[in-house]
Amino acid sequence: VTLERPWGLAFLPDSRMLVTQRSGELVIVRADGSGVDATVSGVPAVVFAGQGGLLDVALDPDFTSGENWVYLAYSEAGAGGSGTALARGRLVGNALQDVAVIWQQSPKVAGEVHYGARIAFRADKSLYLAAGERGLEANNGSARADGVQNASNTIGKVVRMNRNGSSASVFSTGHRNPQGATVVPGTNNLWITEH
C-alpha cells in the first residue's frame, strides 16, 4: 500500500489501523499492513499547506465499550490564518458521524508551520492536546502579545479538557512544536517531544 504523507495512527480493536494523511484523508489500513481497506468519510476540512493538514488521530479510552469516538487533531482555517483544532466523531462503519469541533486554537495566525497537534489521554479519561506556537516564537520573539507565555491565548500550549471539549484549560506553556505526547500508564505524567 502507498500512503501519501501519513502522520498519525491509532489501532482499532481488530488490529486494523486508522491512519491520517496530511492531505485530509483518514484511511483504514489492514492489520497486516498490506493495503487500505477504506477511506473514512465525514472528516473535517483541513488546511493542507506547509506542515498543516490532518495530523493526529486517537480512539476514545472507552472505544470498545460503545463509546466509539475518534478524535482528530488538524489545522483549520479561520480569521487571521490557521491554527490547530480538535474534532471528534463516532466511527460507524467507514464513516464518522456526529462530528463536532470541540476545541480551536486562538488566535489563528498566518504561516504554515508548528501546529503540534498531538493527543494523549489521562488516567481519568480526560485528554491533553499539545498545540504548537505556529512559528511565532521562533520568528518574532517572546515579547509579542501572541507569544507562548501569554496566558490569554493557546499558542504554544498543552491544553487539558474533558472528552467533549468542556472545561478546557492551559496545562503548560512555552512550547514550540510538540510532535509526540504520551501519558505514562497508571499515572497522569505527560511526556512530550518537541521539534
Side-chain angles (χ1 to χ4, degrees), residues 94-132:
N94 298 328
L96 290 179
Q97 298 179 357
D98 306 318
V99 176
V101 178
I102 60 172
W103 184 86
Q104 297 170 296
Q105 189 176 47
S106 176
K108 301 285 191 285
V109 299
E112 301 172 345
V113 298
H114 301 182
Y115 291 94
R118 282 297 187 190
I119 305 162
F121 286 94
R122 292 168 46 100
D124 65 3
K125 301 180 185 176
S126 62
L127 65 85
Y128 294 114
L129 177 67

Side-chain angles (χ1 to χ4, degrees), residues 99-194:
V99 176
V101 178
I102 60 172
W103 184 86
Q104 297 170 296
Q105 189 176 47
S106 176
K108 301 285 191 285
V109 299
E112 301 172 345
V113 298
H114 301 182
Y115 291 94
R118 282 297 187 190
I119 305 162
F121 286 94
R122 292 168 46 100
D124 65 3
K125 301 180 185 176
S126 62
L127 65 85
Y128 294 114
L129 177 67
E133 46 66 89
R134 303 288 292 106
L136 292 178
E137 205 65 20
N139 297 329
N140 300 311
S142 60
R144 285 182 52 135
D146 51 9
V148 299
Q149 299 297 348
N150 186 332
S152 69
N153 70 46
T154 51
I155 301 293
K157 309 290 193 295
V158 172
V159 179
R160 181 182 171 209
M161 69 191 83
N162 293 326
R163 292 181 286 178
N164 64 2
S166 66
S167 301
S169 61
V170 172
F171 176 77
S172 61
T173 66
H175 300 284
R176 182 171 184 257
N177 191 22
Q179 297 266 313
T182 190
V183 173
V184 177
T187 75
N188 285 322
N189 296 333
L190 176 69
W191 286 69
I192 62 173
T193 57
E194 299 198 34

Side-chain angles (χ1 to χ4, degrees), residues 11-95:
F11 284 95
L12 292 166
D14 63 4
S15 297
R16 294 182 303 158
M17 295 162 275
L18 283 174
V19 177
T20 61
Q21 301 192 96
R22 281 197 315 110
S23 61
E25 281 191 328
L26 179 64
V27 296
I28 300 175
V29 175
R30 293 181 196 124
D32 65 3
S34 64
V36 172
D37 274 345
T39 298
V40 177
S41 63
V43 174
V46 306
V47 173
F48 175 46
Q51 296 173 0
L54 184 57
L55 302 171
D56 206 8
V57 57
L59 302 183
D60 190 276
D62 292 328
F63 189 89
T64 58
S65 302
E67 291 292 327
N68 54 333
W69 292 108
V70 172
Y71 295 80
L72 298 171
Y74 60 99
S75 55
E76 71 167 2
S82 63
T84 305
L86 181 67
R88 74 175 188 168
R90 293 185 186 279
L91 184 63
V92 180
N94 298 328

